[in-house]
Amino acid sequence: MDFTKVFNEQFEFINRLNLEFKRSVYDLVNIKNNKLMGLLGQRGVGKTTILLQKLKEINSDNVLYISVDNPYFSTVNLY
């Protein structure tokens, strides 16, 4: 499975992010010690923004953010 397109989209999202504003729960999310993480919540509350801000902050090449809403995953079996 080729994740090149997904990696490129992740880096584009991260490069456009602003780290000046952070939600009140930002410090409660710890992605450094987790192999897999998911955030639950209503649409539009900032889940994606928090995760991508964390990725930008730690500047890690070993992390992949995947949104299953991405059209790429309509043709790829996640199993």
Side-chain angles (χ1 to χ4, degrees):
M1 183 180 312
D2 182 23
F3 282 112
T4 306
K5 181 178 178 181
V6 178
F7 275 113
N8 290 339
E9 287 180 4
Q10 170 182 311
F11 291 125
E12 286 178 26
F13 282 136
I14 290 173
N15 287 331
R16 286 185 278 163
L17 274 178
N18 185 349
L19 294 177
E20 290 179 25
F21 174 76
K22 296 177 183 171
R23 301 245 178 236
S24 59
V25 296
Y26 183 81
D27 292 328
L28 299 176
V29 178
N30 181 6
I31 65 171
K32 288 184 181 181
N33 299 323
N34 294 314
K35 292 183 179 184
L36 176 69
M37 172 174 242
L39 293 179
L40 299 176
Q42 294 177 332
R43 292 181 68 185
V45 296
K47 300 178 300 290
T48 300
T49 303
I50 288 173
L51 287 174
L52 293 176
Q53 283 177 328
K54 288 286 188 175
L55 289 179
K56 186 172 186 172
E57 190 175 74
I58 64 171
N59 195 18
S60 176
D61 293 333
N62 298 327
V63 178
L64 174 64
Y65 165 79
I66 296 176
S67 174
V68 186
D69 290 346
N70 188 319
Y72 175 78
F73 291 102
S74 65
T75 60
V76 175
N77 187 349
L78 293 178
Y79 293 107

